[in-house]
Amino acid sequence: MTEKEITFTVNGTERELRVEPRKLLVHAIREDLDLTGTHIGCDTGNCGACTVYKDGEAVKSCLQFAPQADGSEITTVEGMEDLPEAGMGESDLHPVQEGFHEMHGLQCGFCTPGMMLAGKALLEEHDDPSETEIRQNISGNLCRCTGYQNIVKSIEYAADVLAGREPPESPVENPSSGVEATADGGEPDGGRTDGGRPLDLTREYPRGDGDE
Amino acid sequence: MKAAPFEHHEPSSVEEAVSLLESLDEPLVLAGGQSLVPMMRFRLAVPETVVDINAIDDLDYLRETDDHLELGALARHADVERSAAVAENYGSFADCAPLVADPQIRNRGTVAGSIAQSDPKGDWGSVLLAHDGEVVAHGPDGERTIPAEEFFLLPYDNSLDDAEIITALRVPASGDDEGSAYHKLKRKVGDYAMVGVAARVRLDGDEIADASLALTAVDITNVSVPDAADHLEGEVPSGDLFERAGELAADHSNPESDEHGSAEYKENMVRVLAQRALADAVRRARTDDPAGAVGSDQTAVGDD
């Protein structure tokens, strides 16, 4: 098997690699370039964790061979902070990254890089996408925590920042917004008496017959 | 799992691609690769050589001429989705594109590759059949065109010769009096069809002058409903007429029961979707908004 020499620009830096033709782009990015922010989830093209931004569009890097990236320009999650749009919001982050931070768009974080690059691709085309458009756009990205609600809000937040609109206030407690809130995204102590308190493992919790 | 080792060739012209296909041992053509790459990783496909046609810039186009809508072999699903010509005149193409997989896959996957794959659950075959389309193929003896009716032979098998590649798909230009639609039943967003129906009608005044129906995932290949034109020609569109056409489509379908639904259920869905697709096609033929939004359930459960 002849190895192939490929040259491509990844996050603004030209990189040269020698790869077996059968090496997937996602493996070249993770293993050869050590950019492990791009994740491998399902291995079948379903989950979208391996989504990268390539030559102006979002693609799944597990569905192409590395030599197919020869001559291309790729942005991975590690490069988002260096894009021209970065810093347009409150922080130095890319507005999409800031959106995920502010709106609590992640739980375990595994799907986050793919979700963010899918979101970036959408916002290149629409500066004011509807909720339906956002949901359609991330239909190729699975979140195993099923945290879709806040992922949608995060992309809406980024759309506001990119279009120069005032983004919504973060519902979650974090230092950059200064807004107090409970960890579940609700209002501070809104109807709950244990909001924000550390979990007491010795406490006996009441047993309801519902699905609590 | 990694794909088995293979040699990767990137021809820059159709002629070069064909001569590679002629000279190499058991090559496979790689276009979008959105089905082929996972098949190679599961070792369902183990080619010794891959002829990657992505560098053949001549094949990357989608255009409407006076006679045809033509998609080059590298036209991606997303190109169809974004095409103004498609949105204006080819309702079934406009319906079908966003129902294929997901945005990232539509950015890479090609329509011609999907036709070449010849999966009976693939959506584009029915759209091509309903539009009386043809496949343009290049081989060692030059170019030939294969009518869509003669293209699909068996699941994943078609009438392309070993050293031939698809260079384009072509359908006759859609007139102002024509309309078409594609309806698909699937279990979840981005899934393959459980049942799909493509319909196309041409009106002459109040009457239907010509019509066609084609079905996805209910036979061993994408299939046309043979008597659809005879059945509908000369008739004035009505709910009763569409219902009879739906019965005809269901009679011609040959679905199999599987874990997703019984044959009876699928046959019934052919009947239902054929009526809806025909109604949309007629409505589009009558209006200036041929690819206008259609109101229907595209999913089995819930909504997009």
Side-chain angles (χ1 to χ4, degrees):
Chain A
M1 179 170 36
T2 328
E3 290 203 334
K4 287 223 151 187
E5 287 198 11
I6 60 172
T7 307
F8 53 167
T9 304
V10 181
N11 299 332
T13 307
E14 194 172 282
R15 310 293 295 257
E16 283 177 35
L17 293 177
R18 277 183 73 84
V19 293
E20 279 188 317
R22 64 174 171 164
K23 175 166 263 179
L24 296 172
L25 177 57
V26 66
H27 292 133
I29 290 171
R30 286 177 57 85
E31 293 161 15
D32 297 344
L33 303 181
D34 207 21
L35 295 169
T36 51
T38 303
H39 290 165
I40 305 174
C42 66
D43 264 13
T44 57
N46 278 313
C47 81
C50 68
T51 299
V52 297
Y53 194 70
K54 179 178 175 234
D55 293 333
E57 56 192 14
V59 299
K60 292 184 171 175
S61 59
C62 79
L63 289 182
Q64 48 191 299
F65 295 114
Q68 297 191 280
D70 191 23
S72 67
E73 195 162 322
I74 290 173
T75 303
T76 69
V77 66
E78 290 93 343
M80 290 187 83
E81 245 180 299
D82 300 323
L83 293 172
E85 314 89 272
M88 281 178 71
E90 299 288 313
S91 64
D92 291 338
L93 295 169
H94 187 280
V96 175
Q97 293 176 305
E98 186 175 295
F100 275 74
H101 179 243
E102 292 291 315
M103 306 308 282
H104 195 52
L106 69 160
Q107 290 175 46
C108 85
F110 195 84
C111 72
T112 309
M115 288 286 185
M116 292 202 294
L117 287 154
K120 170 185 157 50
L122 171 70
L123 298 177
E124 303 274 303
E125 287 185 36
H126 298 279
D127 68 355
D128 192 14
S130 67
E131 184 184 332
T132 304
E133 282 168 329
I134 293 173
R135 286 183 182 275
Q136 283 169 345
N137 186 69
I138 57 169
S139 66
N141 295 69
L142 302 180
C143 167
R144 60 191 183 184
C145 314
T146 66
Y148 297 101
Q149 205 66 30
N150 285 351
I151 292 169
V152 171
K153 285 182 190 162
S154 304
I155 296 172
E156 283 172 342
Y157 177 102
D160 286 342
V161 170
L162 285 164
R165 296 182 297 262
E166 184 67 28
E169 272 191 32
S170 171
V172 294
E173 184 178 0
N174 74 55
S176 63
S177 71
V179 176
E180 234 183 277
T182 59
D184 67 355
E187 292 296 312
D189 290 338
R192 290 181 55 163
T193 51
D194 60 346
R197 241 194 281 150
L199 191 65
D200 178 3
L201 294 176
T202 59
R203 178 184 161 192
E204 282 216 12
Y205 287 87
R207 299 170 74 96
D209 50 7
D211 57 356
E212 271 193 46
Chain B
M1 196 196 301
K2 276 186 179 175
F6 63 87
E7 294 285 343
H8 181 247
H9 296 269
E10 282 175 290
S12 53
S13 70
V14 170
E15 291 69 27
E16 200 187 325
V18 170
S19 74
L20 279 166
L21 291 179
E22 252 190 310
S23 61
L24 296 170
D25 195 25
E26 296 192 33
L28 279 179
V29 175
L30 174 64
Q34 304 299 283
S35 300
L36 183 59
V37 173
M39 282 174 76
M40 287 173 67
R41 295 183 55 214
F42 292 130
R43 312 265 172 128
L44 295 169
V46 189
E48 292 200 359
T49 52
V50 164
V51 177
D52 180 346
I53 62 170
N54 282 282
I56 309 179
D57 295 338
D58 296 352
L59 299 180
D60 192 2
Y61 66 91
L62 184 160
R63 62 176 166 241
E64 193 187 24
T65 65
D66 289 345
D67 297 331
H68 293 108
L69 174 71
E70 193 171 305
L71 280 64
L74 291 177
R76 318 276 165 177
H77 307 296
D79 294 331
V80 179
E81 207 175 350
R82 295 181 188 129
S83 158
V86 166
E88 207 158 301
N89 294 318
Y90 301 88
S92 58
F93 280 81
D95 289 344
C96 186
L99 297 175
V100 175
D102 57 57
Q104 290 96 315
I105 286 176
R106 294 200 290 273
N107 282 337
R108 288 293 297 170
T110 64
V111 181
S114 171
I115 295 292
Q117 175 84 352
S118 302
D119 185 335
K121 290 184 190 296
D123 301 301
W124 289 115
S126 299
V127 172
L128 198 67
L129 284 165
H131 280 264
D132 293 328
E134 54 192 19
V135 175
V136 183
H138 254 82
D141 301 327
E143 183 182 297
R144 67 170 177 138
T145 55
I146 309 164
E149 277 310 329
E150 296 165 18
F151 187 77
F152 303 107
L153 301 178
L154 287 168
Y156 308 101
D157 189 19
N158 55 51
S159 48
L160 280 181
D161 292 336
D162 281 347
E164 268 184 329
I165 66 165
I166 297 179
T167 51
L169 305 172
R170 208 182 267 162
V171 302
S174 177
D176 291 342
D177 46 6
E178 277 192 48
S180 65
Y182 184 67
H183 279 243
K184 171 175 175 175
L185 177 77
K186 52 190 171 26
R187 292 170 57 241
K188 60 180 173 60
V189 172
D191 216 344
Y192 281 100
M194 276 172 72
V195 175
V197 179
R200 183 186 57 84
V201 297
R202 185 163 56 79
L203 297 179
D204 183 6
D206 289 339
E207 290 179 1
I208 293 173
D210 186 26
S212 50
L213 283 170
L215 314 176
T216 306
V218 289
D219 211 327
I220 57 165
T221 65
N222 292 114
V223 287
S224 289
V225 178
D227 306 328
D230 291 347
H231 198 76
L232 292 158
E233 223 176 87
E235 303 283 344
V236 175
S238 71
D240 283 349
L241 180 69
F242 298 153
E243 209 175 310
R244 292 201 300 277
E247 298 293 347
L248 181 79
D251 286 349
H252 278 293
S253 72
N254 194 19
E256 279 186 4
S257 297
D258 60 20
E259 68 274 28
H260 305 321
S262 66
E264 291 76 15
Y265 171 61
K266 292 179 184 181
E267 204 173 295
N268 192 39
M269 288 312 296
V270 170
R271 196 176 60 76
V272 172
L273 297 189
Q275 293 179 54
R276 292 181 187 169
L278 275 170
D280 280 337
V282 167
R283 194 171 47 72
R284 287 166 169 177
R286 282 177 177 157
T287 65
D288 293 333
D289 181 23
V294 292
S296 65
D297 305 326
Q298 295 284 9
T299 39
V301 182
D303 202 359
D304 280 11

